[in-house]
Amino acid sequence: MKQYINEKIKGMFRVVVYTLLPLAGGGWVGVSCSDSFLDDMTVFGSFPEDKVYSSYAGALDRVNTLYREMLPQSCQGDGNGSNGQNTYTPTGSPDVWSKSSIEYAGFTDFTNPDQELDYTNVTDYFYVINKSDSPWGNIRNANDIIQHVENNDKLTQEEKNKILGQAYFFRAYRYWSLVKIYGGVPIIDYPQDPIIGDGDGSDKIVPRSPAKDCIQFICKDLQMAADRLPKAWGSADYGRITAGAAEALKGQVQLFYASPLFNRADEALRWDSAYVTNKKALELLNEGGVGLAYAANGGAQNALNWAKIFLANDGSDGSVQETVLATLYNNRDKVETANYDKWNYWEHNLRPVNSNGNGGLHPTAEIIDLFPMADGLPPSAAPASQLLNSSSIPYDRLCFWLNRDPRFYRTFAFPGVEWRFDTNGNDLNSYDDVGKKYVYSYYPHQYSGSGTNFSLWSYTWYASQDDADRMSSTSNGYTADLMAQKNSAVYIRKRSDDLAISASPLYRFSVSASTPKGFQQSAAPLIWMRYAEVLLNFAEAAAGANHLDEALQALQQIRARVGYTAEQNYGLPADIIASREKMIAAVLYERRVELAYEGRAFDDTRRWMLFDGGTETFDGEPTTWHLTGFGGNTCTWLGFTPLNGQRRHELVVYTRALADQKNEADPVVEKRPAALTLTEGLTYDDDEEEYGSDEAMDLADFYAAYLMRKDVNADTNDETKGIRFLPKYYFIGLKQSAMQTNPTLLQTVGWHDYSHGCDGTFDPLAE
């Protein structure tokens, strides 16, 4: 009998994907950069359920586990459950999502022209196991909280509302992360009992629901969250989900559902729903003290205050914050007895090696060339929308940093610009016990060793003309100031804790050879949704619903913050209000600029089907997948060039003179002008026929006299190969392991069904 029961239970777990045991523990460890609810170290989650839910403190701690397990992380990888925490929400790192967009180069599983994903090699984001890095473990935890709190008579109604509001939000958030990828998944809204009892367990086998049902379920959860949560929490609970945040995520979901990925026929009702919800989200956020920070003084010349948004959550008057959803970090020291430290590694990853960083993250030449000129319009040669007017300002491809949108200077760092940092009292010119210098930086030019005058001089020189002419990103070359063979000229600067922005950095700099090193120990928050994005969501939904005047007003607010004026038409095309497609194209272009490296590029590309315009098909494609709206081709309708077939490049600035590949051979080091502080005028004055400042002119003259530019291959050196995103990838299929775990799961159309030995039959778009 015992053996029979064991086999019965084993069979149930083999067949039933969604029978998930509750997690044993659940205490949250402090992660904030200031006093907040996350500093509570009590571990109620390890006590019996009658103890846990008998008090508000215990129930709240169960909710805190959802924050710990489910909030997106900065600098996360591409892992699945068997390889670390799942990457469901892109956050701007060079992960599989962002590298499948224009922001980073390098083929991924989704864009590699030399392979096709199938059920054997696709990443298993479905990952069925009862662990904190499994989506179903997360959902099980949320269901457990909801079930035990809804009918709880030991909590006040206010306490129950706060607990349930957060639990409903996180359940919806995790379902949304799955639905974005798979289109439709099983809906489980209660914690399943793993004991079969007298039945056969068939009640626990839940089929996949189509996208429509999943979207309705998610939006219902988010509405219940918004109805129960406060518009703002006290300072001790900073970072918790608010009513406005729940409504904003609902608005994002409905915007996705209105986009061509889900809305192939361009149904107007979906746009109307997204418009209403995003408008309500803006109202709730405003009532909770969230708005467009520094709206009147974001930095017309260099976006200085705009850059502060990512570090400090207060606006110019201390009353308006931009943050809607954030993951908090701390800079506590590691200790042996407990793991209370939680560091944000973004700053460390951004910084070059000669400032003790991890080597830097590098943008594509394509996105550098796409950013607006100083008049707000894209460069004439930019890979931007054909429906947008191009700038009349001449674009100097060598001096690419001149005459650009103010946000350009806080998104990218380039040769000849300051990028200061606080060394926390460490002398970078000092030596360790074995006589090795801690940090070789700024060699051999004007370096004090304090970091307060650090400037980036990331140009390259070559030993031969053949090397200089080579278009490979791995070609030989020696980069200035002891960066050796880095070769890339431009660094991503977005969200940097720059000393010019904040006099009190959130990192604790170290020169130790062991962890931590450099900027690793950082408490900078990861803001993964902010008011500007919600405003852009509203603008797009308003345009889709034909409220073009409201969409225009939202774009004007975004542009006005960084100095564009009504006299300039806020840097927007003159005929932007002529049609839906022109307005939506302008919104999507603005998203590429305002939200660059914030994890939105791939989502925007995919939901608008910009890889192929939605024109390509696969064998057995159902009619529901055919694009009948948006002119039958989203790229043509918007004026965008399809991403399929394109190749991405890395921008290299190199010296005209050849020299040996060694530090002391730098052929132009003595010719360098003073590095820009970004307080100078960086635009060309047509009337005066000169640049806005002597410093900008000096740097431009240095470039013209001594440097050259080339865009080297960053995807592949094979000139015949470009990005290849197959139409079946718009909704990926289940991996073999998921189908083996539950043979009742139906595979997505376009993918082979391992369990049933046939082509996939599940259509996410069916109703």
Side-chain angles (χ1 to χ4, degrees), residues 313-355:
N313 296 295
D314 291 335
S316 53
D317 61 357
S319 64
V320 177
Q321 67 176 41
E322 180 110 355
T323 304
V324 175
L325 291 165
T327 303
L328 303 182
Y329 292 86
N330 64 38
N331 53 21
R332 296 175 179 170
D333 290 327
K334 291 182 179 293
V335 294
E336 295 181 2
T337 56
N339 185 23
Y340 294 151
D341 58 281
K342 185 176 182 181
W343 303 339
N344 184 344
Y345 289 90
W346 178 254
E347 188 75 25
H348 187 70
N349 285 349
L350 291 184
R351 295 284 185 164
V353 292
N354 65 347
S355 63

Side-chain angles (χ1 to χ4, degrees), residues 198-220:
D198 295 332
D200 62 359
S202 59
D203 62 306
K204 297 177 177 63
I205 300 176
V206 181
R208 295 176 70 178
S209 293
K212 180 179 180 180
D213 294 347
C214 292
I215 296 294
Q216 289 176 345
F217 176 77
I218 291 166
C219 289
K220 181 181 177 181

Side-chain angles (χ1 to χ4, degrees), residues 279-424:
K279 190 170 189 175
K280 180 64 174 178
L282 292 173
E283 293 171 357
L284 286 174
L285 290 169
N286 290 157
E287 291 169 9
V290 180
L292 205 61
Y294 299 101
N297 61 342
Q301 180 171 284
N302 61 14
L304 178 66
N305 285 339
W306 179 81
K308 294 179 181 179
I309 292 167
F310 305 100
L311 302 174
N313 296 295
D314 291 335
S316 53
D317 61 357
S319 64
V320 177
Q321 67 176 41
E322 180 110 355
T323 304
V324 175
L325 291 165
T327 303
L328 303 182
Y329 292 86
N330 64 38
N331 53 21
R332 296 175 179 170
D333 290 327
K334 291 182 179 293
V335 294
E336 295 181 2
T337 56
N339 185 23
Y340 294 151
D341 58 281
K342 185 176 182 181
W343 303 339
N344 184 344
Y345 289 90
W346 178 254
E347 188 75 25
H348 187 70
N349 285 349
L350 291 184
R351 295 284 185 164
V353 292
N354 65 347
S355 63
N356 221 16
N358 199 41
L361 302 177
H362 305 289
T364 63
E366 283 70 21
I367 195 170
I368 293 169
D369 290 342
L370 175 144
F371 256 65
M373 301 300 289
D375 61 0
L377 297 172
S380 57
S385 170
Q386 299 165 16
L387 297 185
L388 298 177
N389 301 336
S390 60
S391 174
S392 60
I393 298 175
Y395 182 35
D396 186 334
R397 292 189 74 256
L398 174 58
C399 296
F400 55 88
W401 45 270
L402 274 172
N403 300 309
R404 305 306 293 269
D405 180 293
R407 292 166 291 185
F408 179 93
Y409 303 106
R410 302 300 172 183
T411 304
F412 309 110
F414 50 87
V417 67
E418 283 190 357
W419 194 359
R420 301 163 55 210
F421 59 96
D422 183 355
T423 57
N424 196 31

Side-chain angles (χ1 to χ4, degrees), residues 26-29 31 37-38 59-73 85 132 138 141-142 145 162-163 165-167 169-170 173-174 229-230 233 237-242 245 324-329 342 528:
W28 176 271
V29 297
V31 298
F37 72 99
L38 300 177
L60 191 61
D61 192 80
R62 285 287 287 137
V63 167
N64 290 350
T65 66
L66 301 180
Y67 285 85
R68 174 171 61 86
E69 295 168 0
M70 295 173 65
L71 288 180
Q73 301 299 317
Q85 185 169 358
S132 62
N138 299 154
N141 253 0
I145 294 169
K162 289 180 178 179
I163 298 295
Q166 294 171 89
F169 174 90
F170 277 111
Y173 167 62
R174 182 52 76 235
L229 289 169
W233 296 79
D237 284 298
Y238 177 77
R240 288 197 185 277
I241 308 301
T242 64
V324 175
L325 291 165
T327 303
L328 303 182
Y329 292 86
K342 185 176 182 181
W528 53 281

